[in-house]
Amino acid sequence: MKKIFTLIAALLCFVAVVEAQNQVQPLPKMFAHRGCHSKIVPENSIPGVGRAARHGYMGIECDVKYTKDGKMVIMHDRTINRTCRNASDYSKIRGKVKVADLTFDELRENYVLESPRADYRTPVPTLEEILLECKKHNIVPMLHSSIVESYRLAQKIMGNNWICFTDDVEAIKECRKFSKCLILYSIKPKTAETAFEVLPQLGGKVGVSSMQREALTRERIARLREKGYEVQASVYYAPREVYALRDAVTILLSDFAVMPDPNNNPVKVVEVEPQTLAQGATLKFTADEKVRDGAVAIEIEFEGVIEIAFDKKQDFYTLYNTGKYCDRVGMRFINRKGMVALHGVEECKIKSAKVYFYNFSE
């Protein structure tokens, strides 16, 4: 009798494991890296905040730098050459110009953010301006910063509705003294295990972030999730963010990705019937009209090897799936029709799929 009960218990355990494996993961919290930028909308800009809100992102990530006279501005690079032009004639900036070598007035008066549209050629924003814009659009700012003064300003404007994001342990400990915000400790493969020492010391809402999948292994993500921590995949290249979603990260920080979320009011949804996609065959789905600012995303369960392309010029994803996962992929675009193509690298069995087309134009 004891053996029978043991066998039944083992069988129930096996069923539970299978059900867990086939369970569809919740959609991750989506954050736009350096704001919702494009070839037109500059990164780390005021317009990038409103665009993020229209696209349905929970928040935006931004970078804080000091000017020579101690003003906090939003800029990723130490220099302004890559993202700015001369304000007087929109010419390229000659020689390296560092943010730290410019006074606030020099930065604001002499340079503008680069964009093909004149109305987006705005001055580099201050941290305060970005925070106020986030509050206006109900967007959560994620400050990639180790500047404690920037935390205090975020707390003053946003309350606890912001995210502190850094690898500076002393800075995040200081942050926790006056804020209950979510703190994301940035890790690398060599420092990943230190998270299990650092996060308990902080208390409250905490988690980790990494740009390297070697730091966010499936086993480590499971351990972090078991403790109730947030796990952010940060700026993964395609198709690595798909694997991060399979591994159950809770936050996806991306330059381009969108999720197939019906709450984002798609203008068109295509349901794909179960079918076998032969090797070399292609299924293509296209939006009804060209839009200025849009996105396309797909939710798909399949067995085999498949290429998922969102642009005629490139195969964006090549994925292998045993049927175990429901994959979600998508990307935003400007000035074209949304399109997604499914190409059978090998014979592929599509169990189910939905394609979502979005129009986020103002």
Side-chain angles (χ1 to χ4, degrees):
M1 182 67 70
K2 186 176 180 181
K3 289 183 177 180
I4 293 175
F5 282 123
T6 302
L7 181 60
I8 292 172
L11 180 61
L12 290 173
C13 182
F14 173 78
V15 171
V17 169
V18 171
E19 288 179 346
Q21 288 177 339
N22 292 330
Q23 185 179 13
V24 178
Q25 295 291 343
L27 290 173
K29 303 176 184 74
M30 297 297 296
F31 279 74
H33 183 234
R34 303 181 196 170
C36 195
H37 57 86
S38 69
K39 293 180 180 178
I40 295 173
V41 179
E43 66 179 55
N44 279 326
S45 68
I46 295 293
V49 176
R51 186 172 184 244
R54 292 195 302 276
H55 277 252
Y57 289 97
M58 176 178 285
I60 59 107
E61 179 264 2
C62 58
D63 310 273
V64 184
K65 294 285 188 295
Y66 273 128
T67 61
K68 186 177 181 179
D69 50 352
K71 299 291 185 181
M72 290 182 290
V73 295
I74 303 301
M75 175 68 62
H76 175 267
D77 302 355
R78 292 182 179 181
T79 65
I80 65 172
N81 298 71
R82 181 179 61 86
T83 56
C84 293
R85 294 284 193 101
N86 289 306
S88 59
D89 57 3
Y90 195 64
S91 60
K92 289 187 176 181
I93 301 168
R94 296 185 179 278
K96 289 185 179 181
V97 179
K98 295 181 179 180
V99 178
D101 290 341
L102 297 170
T103 65
F104 177 68
D105 288 343
E106 289 172 337
L107 177 64
R108 296 277 280 202
E109 293 174 8
N110 298 334
Y111 306 100
V112 293
L113 294 171
E114 185 174 358
S115 172
R117 276 180 49 174
D119 54 334
Y120 284 153
R121 297 171 189 171
T122 55
V124 173
T126 64
L127 171 59
E128 182 177 14
E129 288 169 339
I130 284 288
L131 292 173
L132 290 173
E133 192 72 7
C134 286
K135 190 170 185 177
K136 172 183 172 182
H137 292 282
N138 196 28
I139 281 285
V140 178
M142 179 187 295
L143 270 59
H144 195 180
S145 167
S146 59
I147 301 173
V148 175
E149 184 185 358
S150 69
Y151 307 160
R152 295 188 186 279
L153 183 58
Q155 186 68 22
K156 178 181 177 181
I157 294 175
M158 305 298 299
N160 294 312
N161 193 34
W162 65 284
I163 298 173
C164 174
F165 172 32
T166 182
D167 61 356
D168 189 325
V169 176
E170 294 307 313
I172 56 181
K173 285 181 178 180
E174 190 65 28
C175 175
R176 184 53 90 221
K177 290 179 181 179
F178 57 84
S179 178
K180 295 181 180 179
C181 73
L182 170 62
I183 293 177
L184 293 178
Y185 173 45
S186 181
I187 58 174
K188 296 179 180 179
K190 290 184 179 180
T191 61
E193 283 300 303
T194 62
F196 296 97
E197 301 173 10
V198 172
L199 298 184
Q201 296 176 33
L202 299 174
K205 296 186 294 183
V206 292
V208 300
S209 176
S210 185
M211 296 179 66
Q212 297 165 282
R213 195 173 181 225
E214 294 77 11
L216 295 182
T217 62
R218 179 174 298 178
E219 180 272 337
R220 187 170 287 123
I221 290 172
R223 288 166 57 202
L224 290 162
R225 292 288 305 275
E226 284 175 5
K227 294 182 178 297
Y229 299 147
E230 297 280 3
V231 182
Q232 174 174 280
S234 184
V235 203
Y236 276 21
Y237 294 108
R240 296 183 68 184
E241 82 275 10
V242 176
Y243 304 138
L245 297 184
R246 289 181 181 181
D247 293 341
V249 298
T250 61
I251 304 174
L252 189 62
L253 175 62
S254 179
D255 276 317
F256 56 85
V258 294
M259 289 291 102
D261 188 350
N263 294 322
N264 279 348
N265 299 316
V267 294
K268 180 180 179 180
V269 179
V270 179
E271 294 200 32
V272 183
E273 294 183 357
Q275 58 189 280
T276 297
L277 186 62
Q279 182 178 7
T282 298
L283 285 176
K284 184 177 178 181
F285 308 94
T286 306
D288 296 329
E289 59 184 3
K290 180 179 178 180
V291 298
R292 287 191 297 107
D293 193 2
V296 60
I298 184 170
E299 181 176 67
I300 183 169
E301 294 183 71
F302 68 96
E303 293 181 25
V305 184
I306 196 170
E307 289 177 341
I308 303 178
F310 296 101
D311 191 297
K312 296 177 182 179
K313 298 179 181 179
Q314 62 179 345
D315 289 317
F316 209 74
Y317 295 88
T318 301
L319 300 175
Y320 172 76
N321 198 332
T322 60
K324 176 179 174 181
Y325 301 101
C326 176
D327 286 326
R328 285 88 158 245
V329 294
M331 68 178 297
R332 59 187 194 242
F333 59 83
I334 56 173
N335 296 326
R336 64 178 175 86
K337 277 189 177 183
M339 184 278 291
V340 60
L342 309 177
H343 178 72
V345 178
E346 299 175 0
E347 183 176 275
C348 177
K349 293 182 180 179
I350 298 175
K351 295 182 175 182
S352 67
K354 278 187 179 180
V355 182
Y356 296 79
F357 295 94
Y358 301 96
N359 184 355
F360 297 122
S361 304
E362 290 184 272

mmCIF file with all atom_site columns, all heavy atoms in Angstrom, residues 141-155:
data_model
loop_
_atom_site.group_PDB
_atom_site.id
_atom_site.type_symbol
_atom_site.label_atom_id
_atom_site.label_alt_id
_atom_site.label_comp_id
_atom_site.label_asym_id
_atom_site.label_entity_id
_atom_site.label_seq_id
_atom_site.pdbx_PDB_ins_code
_atom_site.Cartn_x
_atom_site.Cartn_y
_atom_site.Cartn_z
_atom_site.occupancy
_atom_site.B_iso_or_equiv
_atom_site.pdbx_formal_charge
_atom_site.auth_seq_id
_atom_site.auth_comp_id
_atom_site.auth_asym_id
_atom_site.auth_atom_id
_atom_site.pdbx_PDB_model_num
ATOM 1   N N   . PRO A 1 141 ? 9.475  56.343 -13.917 1.00 0.00 ? 141 PRO A N   1
ATOM 2   C CA  . PRO A 1 141 ? 10.858 56.571 -14.331 1.00 0.00 ? 141 PRO A CA  1
ATOM 3   C C   . PRO A 1 141 ? 11.807 55.587 -13.641 1.00 0.00 ? 141 PRO A C   1
ATOM 4   O O   . PRO A 1 141 ? 11.733 55.378 -12.432 1.00 0.00 ? 141 PRO A O   1
ATOM 5   C CB  . PRO A 1 141 ? 11.142 58.001 -13.875 1.00 0.00 ? 141 PRO A CB  1
ATOM 6   C CG  . PRO A 1 141 ? 10.237 58.199 -12.698 1.00 0.00 ? 141 PRO A CG  1
ATOM 7   C CD  . PRO A 1 141 ? 9.023  57.342 -12.935 1.00 0.00 ? 141 PRO A CD  1
ATOM 8   N N   . MET A 1 142 ? 12.676 54.986 -14.433 1.00 0.00 ? 142 MET A N   1
ATOM 9   C CA  . MET A 1 142 ? 13.711 54.097 -13.915 1.00 0.00 ? 142 MET A CA  1
ATOM 10  C C   . MET A 1 142 ? 15.043 54.833 -14.054 1.00 0.00 ? 142 MET A C   1
ATOM 11  O O   . MET A 1 142 ? 15.534 55.032 -15.170 1.00 0.00 ? 142 MET A O   1
ATOM 12  C CB  . MET A 1 142 ? 13.737 52.788 -14.704 1.00 0.00 ? 142 MET A CB  1
ATOM 13  C CG  . MET A 1 142 ? 14.793 51.791 -14.260 1.00 0.00 ? 142 MET A CG  1
ATOM 14  S SD  . MET A 1 142 ? 14.901 50.361 -15.381 1.00 0.00 ? 142 MET A SD  1
ATOM 15  C CE  . MET A 1 142 ? 13.303 49.602 -15.146 1.00 0.00 ? 142 MET A CE  1
ATOM 16  N N   . LEU A 1 143 ? 15.600 55.259 -12.937 1.00 0.00 ? 143 LEU A N   1
ATOM 17  C CA  . LEU A 1 143 ? 16.822 56.052 -12.976 1.00 0.00 ? 143 LEU A CA  1
ATOM 18  C C   . LEU A 1 143 ? 18.049 55.141 -12.945 1.00 0.00 ? 143 LEU A C   1
ATOM 19  O O   . LEU A 1 143 ? 18.336 54.510 -11.930 1.00 0.00 ? 143 LEU A O   1
ATOM 20  C CB  . LEU A 1 143 ? 16.881 57.009 -11.778 1.00 0.00 ? 143 LEU A CB  1
ATOM 21  C CG  . LEU A 1 143 ? 16.274 58.398 -11.965 1.00 0.00 ? 143 LEU A CG  1
ATOM 22  C CD1 . LEU A 1 143 ? 14.808 58.301 -12.338 1.00 0.00 ? 143 LEU A CD1 1
ATOM 23  C CD2 . LEU A 1 143 ? 16.445 59.229 -10.703 1.00 0.00 ? 143 LEU A CD2 1
ATOM 24  N N   . HIS A 1 144 ? 18.740 55.077 -14.081 1.00 0.00 ? 144 HIS A N   1
ATOM 25  C CA  . HIS A 1 144 ? 20.003 54.350 -14.132 1.00 0.00 ? 144 HIS A CA  1
ATOM 26  C C   . HIS A 1 144 ? 21.072 55.334 -13.662 1.00 0.00 ? 144 HIS A C   1
ATOM 27  O O   . HIS A 1 144 ? 21.704 56.038 -14.451 1.00 0.00 ? 144 HIS A O   1
ATOM 28  C CB  . HIS A 1 144 ? 20.279 53.867 -15.556 1.00 0.00 ? 144 HIS A CB  1
ATOM 29  C CG  . HIS A 1 144 ? 21.355 52.839 -15.625 1.00 0.00 ? 144 HIS A CG  1
ATOM 30  N ND1 . HIS A 1 144 ? 21.766 52.263 -16.793 1.00 0.00 ? 144 HIS A ND1 1
ATOM 31  C CD2 . HIS A 1 144 ? 22.113 52.269 -14.652 1.00 0.00 ? 144 HIS A CD2 1
ATOM 32  C CE1 . HIS A 1 144 ? 22.724 51.384 -16.554 1.00 0.00 ? 144 HIS A CE1 1
ATOM 33  N NE2 . HIS A 1 144 ? 22.949 51.377 -15.262 1.00 0.00 ? 144 HIS A NE2 1
ATOM 34  N N   . SER A 1 145 ? 21.266 55.346 -12.370 1.00 0.00 ? 145 SER A N   1
ATOM 35  C CA  . SER A 1 145 ? 22.082 56.391 -11.773 1.00 0.00 ? 145 SER A CA  1
ATOM 36  C C   . SER A 1 145 ? 22.612 55.928 -10.421 1.00 0.00 ? 145 SER A C   1
ATOM 37  O O   . SER A 1 145 ? 21.954 55.186 -9.697  1.00 0.00 ? 145 SER A O   1
ATOM 38  C CB  . SER A 1 145 ? 21.236 57.659 -11.578 1.00 0.00 ? 145 SER A CB  1
ATOM 39  O OG  . SER A 1 145 ? 21.876 58.594 -10.744 1.00 0.00 ? 145 SER A OG  1
ATOM 40  N N   . SER A 1 146 ? 23.811 56.386 -10.093 1.00 0.00 ? 146 SER A N   1
ATOM 41  C CA  . SER A 1 146 ? 24.356 56.164 -8.754  1.00 0.00 ? 146 SER A CA  1
ATOM 42  C C   . SER A 1 146 ? 24.455 57.483 -7.991  1.00 0.00 ? 146 SER A C   1
ATOM 43  O O   . SER A 1 146 ? 25.103 57.560 -6.947  1.00 0.00 ? 146 SER A O   1
ATOM 44  C CB  . SER A 1 146 ? 25.741 55.503 -8.844  1.00 0.00 ? 146 SER A CB  1
ATOM 45  O OG  . SER A 1 146 ? 26.637 56.313 -9.588  1.00 0.00 ? 146 SER A OG  1
ATOM 46  N N   . ILE A 1 147 ? 23.779 58.506 -8.513  1.00 0.00 ? 147 ILE A N   1
ATOM 47  C CA  . ILE A 1 147 ? 23.796 59.829 -7.893  1.00 0.00 ? 147 ILE A CA  1
ATOM 48  C C   . ILE A 1 147 ? 22.666 59.904 -6.874  1.00 0.00 ? 147 ILE A C   1
ATOM 49  O O   . ILE A 1 147 ? 21.475 59.919 -7.240  1.00 0.00 ? 147 ILE A O   1
ATOM 50  C CB  . ILE A 1 147 ? 23.629 60.933 -8.959  1.00 0.00 ? 147 ILE A CB  1
ATOM 51  C CG1 . ILE A 1 147 ? 24.756 60.859 -9.996  1.00 0.00 ? 147 ILE A CG1 1
ATOM 52  C CG2 . ILE A 1 147 ? 23.596 62.302 -8.302  1.00 0.00 ? 147 ILE A CG2 1
ATOM 53  C CD1 . ILE A 1 147 ? 24.567 61.797 -11.179 1.00 0.00 ? 147 ILE A CD1 1
ATOM 54  N N   . VAL A 1 148 ? 23.000 59.925 -5.607  1.00 0.00 ? 148 VAL A N   1
ATOM 55  C CA  . VAL A 1 148 ? 21.988 59.917 -4.548  1.00 0.00 ? 148 VAL A CA  1
ATOM 56  C C   . VAL A 1 148 ? 21.098 61.151 -4.633  1.00 0.00 ? 148 VAL A C   1
ATOM 57  O O   . VAL A 1 148 ? 19.891 61.080 -4.345  1.00 0.00 ? 148 VAL A O   1
ATOM 58  C CB  . VAL A 1 148 ? 22.665 59.811 -3.169  1.00 0.00 ? 148 VAL A CB  1
ATOM 59  C CG1 . VAL A 1 148 ? 21.637 59.923 -2.047  1.00 0.00 ? 148 VAL A CG1 1
ATOM 60  C CG2 . VAL A 1 148 ? 23.425 58.492 -3.057  1.00 0.00 ? 148 VAL A CG2 1
ATOM 61  N N   . GLU A 1 149 ? 21.659 62.272 -5.062  1.00 0.00 ? 149 GLU A N   1
ATOM 62  C CA  . GLU A 1 149 ? 20.847 63.488 -5.219  1.00 0.00 ? 149 GLU A CA  1
ATOM 63  C C   . GLU A 1 149 ? 19.717 63.263 -6.226  1.00 0.00 ? 149 GLU A C   1
ATOM 64  O O   . GLU A 1 149 ? 18.621 63.794 -6.066  1.00 0.00 ? 149 GLU A O   1
ATOM 65  C CB  . GLU A 1 149 ? 21.732 64.657 -5.675  1.00 0.00 ? 149 GLU A CB  1
ATOM 66  C CG  . GLU A 1 149 ? 20.986 65.978 -5.759  1.00 0.00 ? 149 GLU A CG  1
ATOM 67  C CD  . GLU A 1 149 ? 21.840 67.103 -6.318  1.00 0.00 ? 149 GLU A CD  1
ATOM 68  O OE1 . GLU A 1 149 ? 23.032 66.870 -6.618  1.00 0.00 ? 149 GLU A OE1 1
ATOM 69  O OE2 . GLU A 1 149 ? 21.308 68.219 -6.467  1.00 0.00 ? 149 GLU A OE2 1
ATOM 70  N N   . SER A 1 150 ? 19.970 62.458 -7.267  1.00 0.00 ? 150 SER A N   1
ATOM 71  C CA  . SER A 1 150 ? 18.922 62.175 -8.248  1.00 0.00 ? 150 SER A CA  1
ATOM 72  C C   . SER A 1 150 ? 17.807 61.349 -7.615  1.00 0.00 ? 150 SER A C   1
ATOM 73  O O   . SER A 1 150 ? 16.635 61.512 -7.945  1.00 0.00 ? 150 SER A O   1
ATOM 74  C CB  . SER A 1 150 ? 19.506 61.445 -9.466  1.00 0.00 ? 150 SER A CB  1
ATOM 75  O OG  . SER A 1 150 ? 19.911 60.117 -9.147  1.00 0.00 ? 150 SER A OG  1
ATOM 76  N N   . TYR A 1 151 ? 18.156 60.479 -6.663  1.00 0.00 ? 151 TYR A N   1
ATOM 77  C CA  . TYR A 1 151 ? 17.138 59.693 -5.964  1.00 0.00 ? 151 TYR A CA  1
ATOM 78  C C   . TYR A 1 151 ? 16.241 60.601 -5.124  1.00 0.00 ? 151 TYR A C   1
ATOM 79  O O   . TYR A 1 151 ? 15.022 60.413 -5.073  1.00 0.00 ? 151 TYR A O   1
ATOM 80  C CB  . TYR A 1 151 ? 17.781 58.659 -5.034  1.00 0.00 ? 151 TYR A CB  1
ATOM 81  C CG  . TYR A 1 151 ? 18.800 57.739 -5.635  1.00 0.00 ? 151 TYR A CG  1
ATOM 82  C CD1 . TYR A 1 151 ? 19.708 57.069 -4.816  1.00 0.00 ? 151 TYR A CD1 1
ATOM 83  C CD2 . TYR A 1 151 ? 18.878 57.515 -7.014  1.00 0.00 ? 151 TYR A CD2 1
ATOM 84  C CE1 . TYR A 1 151 ? 20.652 56.201 -5.332  1.00 0.00 ? 151 TYR A CE1 1
ATOM 85  C CE2 . TYR A 1 151 ? 19.827 56.651 -7.539  1.00 0.00 ? 151 TYR A CE2 1
ATOM 86  C CZ  . TYR A 1 151 ? 20.711 55.998 -6.695  1.00 0.00 ? 151 TYR A CZ  1
ATOM 87  O OH  . TYR A 1 151 ? 21.652 55.143 -7.215  1.00 0.00 ? 151 TYR A OH  1
ATOM 88  N N   . ARG A 1 152 ? 16.848 61.560 -4.469  1.00 0.00 ? 152 ARG A N   1
ATOM 89  C CA  . ARG A 1 152 ? 16.074 62.451 -3.600  1.00 0.00 ? 152 ARG A CA  1
ATOM 90  C C   . ARG A 1 152 ? 15.082 63.275 -4.427  1.00 0.00 ? 152 ARG A C   1
ATOM 91  O O   . ARG A 1 152 ? 13.937 63.487 -3.998  1.00 0.00 ? 152 ARG A O   1
ATOM 92  C CB  . ARG A 1 152 ? 17.008 63.364 -2.808  1.00 0.00 ? 152 ARG A CB  1
ATOM 93  C CG  . ARG A 1 152 ? 17.899 62.620 -1.823  1.00 0.00 ? 152 ARG A CG  1
ATOM 94  C CD  . ARG A 1 152 ? 18.664 63.566 -0.914  1.00 0.00 ? 152 ARG A CD  1
ATOM 95  N NE  . ARG A 1 152 ? 19.608 62.849 -0.071  1.00 0.00 ? 152 ARG A NE  1
ATOM 96  C CZ  . ARG A 1 152 ? 19.291 62.212 1.058   1.00 0.00 ? 152 ARG A CZ  1
ATOM 97  N NH1 . ARG A 1 152 ? 18.030 62.229 1.472   1.00 0.00 ? 152 ARG A NH1 1
ATOM 98  N NH2 . ARG A 1 152 ? 20.215 61.576 1.758   1.00 0.00 ? 152 ARG A NH2 1
ATOM 99  N N   . LEU A 1 153 ? 15.518 63.714 -5.602  1.00 0.00 ? 153 LEU A N   1
ATOM 100 C CA  . LEU A 1 153 ? 14.616 64.491 -6.450  1.00 0.00 ? 153 LEU A CA  1
ATOM 101 C C   . LEU A 1 153 ? 13.483 63.609 -6.968  1.00 0.00 ? 153 LEU A C   1
ATOM 102 O O   . LEU A 1 153 ? 12.317 64.031 -7.021  1.00 0.00 ? 153 LEU A O   1
ATOM 103 C CB  . LEU A 1 153 ? 15.388 65.108 -7.614  1.00 0.00 ? 153 LEU A CB  1
ATOM 104 C CG  . LEU A 1 153 ? 14.574 66.008 -8.549  1.00 0.00 ? 153 LEU A CG  1
ATOM 105 C CD1 . LEU A 1 153 ? 13.940 67.161 -7.781  1.00 0.00 ? 153 LEU A CD1 1
ATOM 106 C CD2 . LEU A 1 153 ? 15.446 66.546 -9.682  1.00 0.00 ? 153 LEU A CD2 1
ATOM 107 N N   . ALA A 1 154 ? 13.805 62.371 -7.363  1.00 0.00 ? 154 ALA A N   1
ATOM 108 C CA  . ALA A 1 154 ? 12.773 61.441 -7.831  1.00 0.00 ? 154 ALA A CA  1
ATOM 109 C C   . ALA A 1 154 ? 11.761 61.163 -6.724  1.00 0.00 ? 154 ALA A C   1
ATOM 110 O O   . ALA A 1 154 ? 10.544 61.119 -6.968  1.00 0.00 ? 154 ALA A O   1
ATOM 111 C CB  . ALA A 1 154 ? 13.414 60.133 -8.297  1.00 0.00 ? 154 ALA A CB  1
ATOM 112 N N   . GLN A 1 155 ? 12.240 60.987 -5.516  1.00 0.00 ? 155 GLN A N   1
ATOM 113 C CA  . GLN A 1 155 ? 11.349 60.731 -4.377  1.00 0.00 ? 155 GLN A CA  1
ATOM 114 C C   . GLN A 1 155 ? 10.451 61.935 -4.116  1.00 0.00 ? 155 GLN A C   1
ATOM 115 O O   . GLN A 1 155 ? 9.249  61.787 -3.829  1.00 0.00 ? 155 GLN A O   1
ATOM 116 C CB  . GLN A 1 155 ? 12.173 60.395 -3.134  1.00 0.00 ? 155 GLN A CB  1
ATOM 117 C CG  . GLN A 1 155 ? 11.361 59.962 -1.935  1.00 0.00 ? 155 GLN A CG  1
ATOM 118 C CD  . GLN A 1 155 ? 10.685 58.618 -2.127  1.00 0.00 ? 155 GLN A CD  1
ATOM 119 O OE1 . GLN A 1 155 ? 11.112 57.819 -2.954  1.00 0.00 ? 155 GLN A OE1 1
ATOM 120 N NE2 . GLN A 1 155 ? 9.619  58.375 -1.377  1.00 0.00 ? 155 GLN A NE2 1
#
